Amino acid sequence: MTRNLTPRWYSPNEVAVLLGFGLSKVKMKIATGELRSIKDGKYRRILPEWVDEYVRDQVERQEAA
């Protein structure tokens, strides 16, 4: 029996792939606070909801412009 697991959180590399960005752009978005993240030991992690929130914020900014 094969079970597909849904990630509970993403690494910056995974978020870069999801958004079609380079890793350095994701790290910049984290550093500026545009993309929320947490530190788990030495690793940085991003919840799926935070990725959705970032995308939603970007769409709202474009629509308001």
Side-chain angles (χ1 to χ4, degrees):
M1 180 176 188
T2 303
R3 192 186 279 183
N4 289 333
L5 297 176
T6 302
R8 303 288 291 178
W9 56 18
Y10 300 118
S11 69
N13 277 328
E14 291 170 320
V15 172
V17 171
L18 283 171
L19 296 177
F21 293 166
L23 179 57
S24 61
K25 185 169 184 174
V26 170
K27 288 182 177 181
M28 181 199 61
K29 299 286 185 186
I30 291 169
T32 61
E34 289 181 74
L35 180 59
R36 290 176 62 189
S37 70
I38 60 166
K39 279 284 265 189
D40 181 35
K42 67 178 186 174
Y43 301 104
R44 185 141 310 265
R45 297 292 182 230
I46 302 145
L47 293 174
E49 303 91 70
W50 295 343
V51 176
D52 294 340
E53 183 180 295
Y54 169 78
V55 171
R56 192 171 37 254
D57 289 347
Q58 294 303 308
V59 169
E60 288 172 3
R61 276 191 202 143
Q62 288 296 312
E63 289 177 347

mmCIF file of all heavy atoms in Angstrom, residues 27-58:
data_model
loop_
_atom_site.group_PDB
_atom_site.id
_atom_site.type_symbol
_atom_site.label_atom_id
_atom_site.label_comp_id
_atom_site.label_asym_id
_atom_site.label_seq_id
_atom_site.Cartn_x
_atom_site.Cartn_y
_atom_site.Cartn_z
ATOM 1 N N LYS A 27 15.285 33.386 -0.186
ATOM 2 C CA LYS A 27 16.003 33.824 1.015
ATOM 3 C C LYS A 27 15.847 35.322 1.229
ATOM 4 O O LYS A 27 15.713 35.788 2.361
ATOM 5 C CB LYS A 27 17.477 33.440 0.928
ATOM 6 C CG LYS A 27 17.708 31.952 1.102
ATOM 7 C CD LYS A 27 19.188 31.630 1.056
ATOM 8 C CE LYS A 27 19.432 30.161 1.299
ATOM 9 N NZ LYS A 27 20.870 29.847 1.284
ATOM 10 N N MET A 28 15.842 36.098 0.152
ATOM 11 C CA MET A 28 15.646 37.539 0.258
ATOM 12 C C MET A 28 14.232 37.853 0.765
ATOM 13 O O MET A 28 14.048 38.711 1.633
ATOM 14 C CB MET A 28 15.874 38.228 -1.087
ATOM 15 C CG MET A 28 15.705 39.736 -1.013
ATOM 16 S SD MET A 28 15.422 40.533 -2.612
ATOM 17 C CE MET A 28 13.908 39.779 -3.150
ATOM 18 N N LYS A 29 13.237 37.146 0.249
ATOM 19 C CA LYS A 29 11.854 37.353 0.683
ATOM 20 C C LYS A 29 11.708 37.026 2.170
ATOM 21 O O LYS A 29 10.970 37.697 2.884
ATOM 22 C CB LYS A 29 10.879 36.495 -0.136
ATOM 23 C CG LYS A 29 10.869 36.779 -1.622
ATOM 24 C CD LYS A 29 10.180 38.073 -1.917
ATOM 25 C CE LYS A 29 10.078 38.288 -3.415
ATOM 26 N NZ LYS A 29 9.533 39.599 -3.732
ATOM 27 N N ILE A 30 12.409 36.004 2.630
ATOM 28 C CA ILE A 30 12.392 35.651 4.051
ATOM 29 C C ILE A 30 13.071 36.751 4.858
ATOM 30 O O ILE A 30 12.550 37.195 5.887
ATOM 31 C CB ILE A 30 13.072 34.289 4.280
ATOM 32 C CG1 ILE A 30 12.210 33.154 3.692
ATOM 33 C CG2 ILE A 30 13.345 34.055 5.768
ATOM 34 C CD1 ILE A 30 12.910 31.808 3.628
ATOM 35 N N ALA A 31 14.229 37.205 4.411
ATOM 36 C CA ALA A 31 14.998 38.224 5.141
ATOM 37 C C ALA A 31 14.233 39.534 5.265
ATOM 38 O O ALA A 31 14.326 40.215 6.295
ATOM 39 C CB ALA A 31 16.343 38.456 4.456
ATOM 40 N N THR A 32 13.468 39.890 4.239
ATOM 41 C CA THR A 32 12.715 41.146 4.271
ATOM 42 C C THR A 32 11.362 41.000 4.967
ATOM 43 O O THR A 32 10.668 41.988 5.159
ATOM 44 C CB THR A 32 12.471 41.685 2.844
ATOM 45 O OG1 THR A 32 11.690 40.722 2.107
ATOM 46 C CG2 THR A 32 13.774 41.975 2.127
ATOM 47 N N GLY A 33 10.990 39.770 5.316
ATOM 48 C CA GLY A 33 9.722 39.542 6.003
ATOM 49 C C GLY A 33 8.532 39.366 5.085
ATOM 50 O O GLY A 33 7.409 39.213 5.553
ATOM 51 N N GLU A 34 8.763 39.384 3.781
ATOM 52 C CA GLU A 34 7.661 39.181 2.837
ATOM 53 C C GLU A 34 7.130 37.756 2.886
ATOM 54 O O GLU A 34 5.962 37.515 2.589
ATOM 55 C CB GLU A 34 8.109 39.483 1.402
ATOM 56 C CG GLU A 34 8.337 40.940 1.119
ATOM 57 C CD GLU A 34 8.737 41.132 -0.325
ATOM 58 O OE1 GLU A 34 7.850 41.012 -1.203
ATOM 59 O OE2 GLU A 34 9.925 41.382 -0.572
ATOM 60 N N LEU A 35 7.999 36.820 3.231
ATOM 61 C CA LEU A 35 7.642 35.406 3.316
ATOM 62 C C LEU A 35 7.992 34.926 4.716
ATOM 63 O O LEU A 35 9.158 34.975 5.121
ATOM 64 C CB LEU A 35 8.404 34.599 2.254
ATOM 65 C CG LEU A 35 8.170 33.096 2.193
ATOM 66 C CD1 LEU A 35 6.701 32.784 1.932
ATOM 67 C CD2 LEU A 35 9.036 32.474 1.115
ATOM 68 N N ARG A 36 6.981 34.515 5.456
ATOM 69 C CA ARG A 36 7.197 34.070 6.829
ATOM 70 C C ARG A 36 7.934 32.734 6.858
ATOM 71 O O ARG A 36 7.769 31.904 5.957
ATOM 72 C CB ARG A 36 5.857 33.892 7.545
ATOM 73 C CG ARG A 36 5.158 35.191 7.813
ATOM 74 C CD ARG A 36 3.804 34.999 8.430
ATOM 75 N NE ARG A 36 3.918 34.328 9.734
ATOM 76 C CZ ARG A 36 2.865 33.882 10.427
ATOM 77 N NH1 ARG A 36 1.652 34.019 9.950
ATOM 78 N NH2 ARG A 36 3.035 33.306 11.583
ATOM 79 N N SER A 37 8.733 32.546 7.915
ATOM 80 C CA SER A 37 9.436 31.287 8.121
ATOM 81 C C SER A 37 9.802 31.162 9.591
ATOM 82 O O SER A 37 9.703 32.123 10.344
ATOM 83 C CB SER A 37 10.698 31.225 7.251
ATOM 84 O OG SER A 37 11.667 32.136 7.734
ATOM 85 N N ILE A 38 10.208 29.961 9.963
ATOM 86 C CA ILE A 38 10.707 29.709 11.315
ATOM 87 C C ILE A 38 12.018 28.960 11.220
ATOM 88 O O ILE A 38 12.324 28.357 10.191
ATOM 89 C CB ILE A 38 9.711 28.891 12.173
ATOM 90 C CG1 ILE A 38 9.439 27.524 11.534
ATOM 91 C CG2 ILE A 38 8.437 29.666 12.432
ATOM 92 C CD1 ILE A 38 8.759 26.546 12.451
ATOM 93 N N LYS A 39 12.784 29.011 12.295
ATOM 94 C CA LYS A 39 14.014 28.221 12.391
ATOM 95 C C LYS A 39 13.686 26.972 13.201
ATOM 96 O O LYS A 39 13.086 27.054 14.266
ATOM 97 C CB LYS A 39 15.105 28.996 13.128
ATOM 98 C CG LYS A 39 15.839 30.000 12.300
ATOM 99 C CD LYS A 39 16.822 29.376 11.381
ATOM 100 C CE LYS A 39 18.198 29.347 11.993
ATOM 101 N NZ LYS A 39 19.226 28.940 11.086
ATOM 102 N N ASP A 40 14.059 25.826 12.695
ATOM 103 C CA ASP A 40 13.929 24.560 13.398
ATOM 104 C C ASP A 40 15.337 24.002 13.528
ATOM 105 O O ASP A 40 15.848 23.389 12.587
ATOM 106 C CB ASP A 40 13.020 23.607 12.627
ATOM 107 C CG ASP A 40 12.844 22.274 13.329
ATOM 108 O OD1 ASP A 40 12.814 22.257 14.574
ATOM 109 O OD2 ASP A 40 12.744 21.246 12.628
ATOM 110 N N GLY A 41 15.984 24.301 14.644
ATOM 111 C CA GLY A 41 17.392 23.961 14.769
ATOM 112 C C GLY A 41 18.183 24.817 13.809
ATOM 113 O O GLY A 41 18.055 26.033 13.798
ATOM 114 N N LYS A 42 18.951 24.180 12.947
ATOM 115 C CA LYS A 42 19.720 24.948 11.962
ATOM 116 C C LYS A 42 18.986 25.112 10.628
ATOM 117 O O LYS A 42 19.504 25.724 9.713
ATOM 118 C CB LYS A 42 21.087 24.310 11.735
ATOM 119 C CG LYS A 42 21.056 22.960 11.063
ATOM 120 C CD LYS A 42 22.467 22.439 10.837
ATOM 121 C CE LYS A 42 22.450 21.157 10.039
ATOM 122 N NZ LYS A 42 23.780 20.707 9.678
ATOM 123 N N TYR A 43 17.772 24.581 10.549
ATOM 124 C CA TYR A 43 17.013 24.617 9.298
ATOM 125 C C TYR A 43 15.915 25.674 9.336
ATOM 126 O O TYR A 43 15.303 25.914 10.359
ATOM 127 C CB TYR A 43 16.369 23.251 9.020
ATOM 128 C CG TYR A 43 17.385 22.148 8.918
ATOM 129 C CD1 TYR A 43 17.564 21.248 9.953
ATOM 130 C CD2 TYR A 43 18.182 22.032 7.789
ATOM 131 C CE1 TYR A 43 18.510 20.239 9.864
ATOM 132 C CE2 TYR A 43 19.133 21.026 7.693
ATOM 133 C CZ TYR A 43 19.290 20.133 8.733
ATOM 134 O OH TYR A 43 20.229 19.150 8.635
ATOM 135 N N ARG A 44 15.664 26.284 8.189
ATOM 136 C CA ARG A 44 14.580 27.244 8.048
ATOM 137 C C ARG A 44 13.424 26.504 7.388
ATOM 138 O O ARG A 44 13.620 25.758 6.436
ATOM 139 C CB ARG A 44 15.035 28.420 7.186
ATOM 140 C CG ARG A 44 13.994 29.469 7.133
ATOM 141 C CD ARG A 44 14.481 30.887 7.175
ATOM 142 N NE ARG A 44 15.401 31.304 8.186
ATOM 143 C CZ ARG A 44 15.052 31.877 9.343
ATOM 144 N NH1 ARG A 44 13.791 32.032 9.647
ATOM 145 N NH2 ARG A 44 15.966 32.298 10.174
ATOM 146 N N ARG A 45 12.217 26.709 7.902
ATOM 147 C CA ARG A 45 11.034 26.024 7.392
ATOM 148 C C ARG A 45 9.901 27.010 7.161
ATOM 149 O O ARG A 45 9.768 28.008 7.865
ATOM 150 C CB ARG A 45 10.572 24.947 8.377
ATOM 151 C CG ARG A 45 11.590 23.853 8.580
ATOM 152 C CD ARG A 45 11.735 23.038 7.312
ATOM 153 N NE ARG A 45 12.672 21.942 7.501
ATOM 154 C CZ ARG A 45 13.667 21.678 6.680
ATOM 155 N NH1 ARG A 45 13.866 22.429 5.634
ATOM 156 N NH2 ARG A 45 14.459 20.662 6.898
ATOM 157 N N ILE A 46 9.068 26.692 6.169
ATOM 158 C CA ILE A 46 7.972 27.566 5.764
ATOM 159 C C ILE A 46 6.704 26.722 5.675
ATOM 160 O O ILE A 46 6.681 25.704 4.978
ATOM 161 C CB ILE A 46 8.283 28.215 4.399
ATOM 162 C CG1 ILE A 46 9.596 28.995 4.504
ATOM 163 C CG2 ILE A 46 7.143 29.110 3.938
ATOM 164 C CD1 ILE A 46 10.428 28.985 3.281
ATOM 165 N N LEU A 47 5.670 27.152 6.383
ATOM 166 C CA LEU A 47 4.400 26.429 6.349
ATOM 167 C C LEU A 47 3.704 26.651 5.008
ATOM 168 O O LEU A 47 3.810 27.735 4.425
ATOM 169 C CB LEU A 47 3.483 26.907 7.475
ATOM 170 C CG LEU A 47 3.932 26.583 8.892
ATOM 171 C CD1 LEU A 47 2.988 27.247 9.895
ATOM 172 C CD2 LEU A 47 3.987 25.090 9.120
ATOM 173 N N PRO A 48 2.981 25.645 4.520
ATOM 174 C CA PRO A 48 2.247 25.819 3.259
ATOM 175 C C PRO A 48 1.302 27.017 3.275
ATOM 176 O O PRO A 48 1.169 27.714 2.269
ATOM 177 C CB PRO A 48 1.466 24.502 3.111
ATOM 178 C CG PRO A 48 2.268 23.510 3.873
ATOM 179 C CD PRO A 48 2.864 24.272 5.033
ATOM 180 N N GLU A 49 0.687 27.290 4.444
ATOM 181 C CA GLU A 49 -0.221 28.443 4.540
ATOM 182 C C GLU A 49 0.522 29.745 4.297
ATOM 183 O O GLU A 49 -0.051 30.705 3.776
ATOM 184 C CB GLU A 49 -0.866 28.527 5.934
ATOM 185 C CG GLU A 49 -1.629 27.301 6.367
ATOM 186 C CD GLU A 49 -0.753 26.303 7.129
ATOM 187 O OE1 GLU A 49 -0.348 26.576 8.267
ATOM 188 O OE2 GLU A 49 -0.493 25.239 6.555
ATOM 189 N N TRP A 50 1.783 29.802 4.710
ATOM 190 C CA TRP A 50 2.569 31.017 4.537
ATOM 191 C C TRP A 50 2.917 31.239 3.069
ATOM 192 O O TRP A 50 3.012 32.378 2.618
ATOM 193 C CB TRP A 50 3.810 30.993 5.395
ATOM 194 C CG TRP A 50 3.500 31.002 6.866
ATOM 195 C CD1 TRP A 50 2.319 31.352 7.456
ATOM 196 C CD2 TRP A 50 4.376 30.646 7.923
ATOM 197 N NE1 TRP A 50 2.413 31.229 8.820
ATOM 198 C CE2 TRP A 50 3.671 30.796 9.134
ATOM 199 C CE3 TRP A 50 5.692 30.211 7.972
ATOM 200 C CZ2 TRP A 50 4.243 30.528 10.375
ATOM 201 C CZ3 TRP A 50 6.250 29.953 9.211
ATOM 202 C CH2 TRP A 50 5.528 30.106 10.393
ATOM 203 N N VAL A 51 3.107 30.149 2.333
ATOM 204 C CA VAL A 51 3.345 30.273 0.883
ATOM 205 C C VAL A 51 2.076 30.811 0.233
ATOM 206 O O VAL A 51 2.127 31.739 -0.573
ATOM 207 C CB VAL A 51 3.758 28.921 0.263
ATOM 208 C CG1 VAL A 51 3.892 29.048 -1.251
ATOM 209 C CG2 VAL A 51 5.049 28.404 0.884
ATOM 210 N N ASP A 52 0.931 30.249 0.609
ATOM 211 C CA ASP A 52 -0.354 30.718 0.071
ATOM 212 C C ASP A 52 -0.584 32.191 0.415
ATOM 213 O O ASP A 52 -1.055 32.963 -0.418
ATOM 214 C CB ASP A 52 -1.509 29.880 0.620
ATOM 215 C CG ASP A 52 -1.469 28.438 0.159
ATOM 216 O OD1 ASP A 52 -0.796 28.151 -0.858
ATOM 217 O OD2 ASP A 52 -2.096 27.587 0.820
ATOM 218 N N GLU A 53 -0.258 32.572 1.651
ATOM 219 C CA GLU A 53 -0.403 33.959 2.091
ATOM 220 C C GLU A 53 0.467 34.899 1.257
ATOM 221 O O GLU A 53 0.017 35.969 0.842
ATOM 222 C CB GLU A 53 0.001 34.038 3.566
ATOM 223 C CG GLU A 53 -0.153 35.362 4.221
ATOM 224 C CD GLU A 53 0.293 35.279 5.685
ATOM 225 O OE1 GLU A 53 -0.348 34.563 6.457
ATOM 226 O OE2 GLU A 53 1.311 35.937 6.025
ATOM 227 N N TYR A 54 1.695 34.490 0.980
ATOM 228 C CA TYR A 54 2.600 35.295 0.160
ATOM 229 C C TYR A 54 2.006 35.497 -1.240
ATOM 230 O O TYR A 54 1.975 36.615 -1.756
ATOM 231 C CB TYR A 54 3.981 34.641 0.065
ATOM 232 C CG TYR A 54 4.847 35.285 -0.974
ATOM 233 C CD1 TYR A 54 5.485 36.495 -0.720
ATOM 234 C CD2 TYR A 54 4.984 34.727 -2.240
ATOM 235 C CE1 TYR A 54 6.249 37.117 -1.690
ATOM 236 C CE2 TYR A 54 5.743 35.343 -3.214
ATOM 237 C CZ TYR A 54 6.369 36.531 -2.939
ATOM 238 O OH TYR A 54 7.118 37.153 -3.914
ATOM 239 N N VAL A 55 1.525 34.410 -1.844
ATOM 240 C CA VAL A 55 0.952 34.493 -3.191
ATOM 241 C C VAL A 55 -0.276 35.401 -3.179
ATOM 242 O O VAL A 55 -0.423 36.273 -4.045
ATOM 243 C CB VAL A 55 0.601 33.085 -3.729
ATOM 244 C CG1 VAL A 55 -0.190 33.177 -5.032
ATOM 245 C CG2 VAL A 55 1.869 32.260 -3.927
ATOM 246 N N ARG A 56 -1.134 35.234 -2.193
ATOM 247 C CA ARG A 56 -2.336 36.060 -2.082
ATOM 248 C C ARG A 56 -1.977 37.542 -1.940
ATOM 249 O O ARG A 56 -2.570 38.401 -2.590
ATOM 250 C CB ARG A 56 -3.167 35.581 -0.886
ATOM 251 C CG ARG A 56 -4.554 36.137 -0.805
ATOM 252 C CD ARG A 56 -5.424 35.470 0.273
ATOM 253 N NE ARG A 56 -4.715 35.123 1.503
ATOM 254 C CZ ARG A 56 -4.359 33.875 1.867
ATOM 255 N NH1 ARG A 56 -4.637 32.852 1.071
ATOM 256 N NH2 ARG A 56 -3.729 33.647 2.999
ATOM 257 N N ASP A 57 -0.973 37.842 -1.106
ATOM 258 C CA ASP A 57 -0.526 39.228 -0.943
ATOM 259 C C ASP A 57 -0.013 39.814 -2.248
ATOM 260 O O ASP A 57 -0.279 40.977 -2.562
ATOM 261 C CB ASP A 57 0.562 39.326 0.131
ATOM 262 C CG ASP A 57 0.037 39.094 1.533
ATOM 263 O OD1 ASP A 57 -1.201 39.101 1.738
ATOM 264 O OD2 ASP A 57 0.880 38.887 2.432
ATOM 265 N N GLN A 58 0.712 39.028 -3.019
ATOM 266 C CA GLN A 58 1.241 39.509 -4.290
ATOM 267 C C GLN A 58 0.108 39.803 -5.275
ATOM 268 O O GLN A 58 0.141 40.818 -5.978
ATOM 269 C CB GLN A 58 2.211 38.486 -4.902
ATOM 270 C CG GLN A 58 3.476 38.295 -4.093
ATOM 271 C CD GLN A 58 4.220 39.596 -3.888
ATOM 272 O OE1 GLN A 58 4.511 40.323 -4.817
ATOM 273 N NE2 GLN A 58 4.516 39.895 -2.632
#
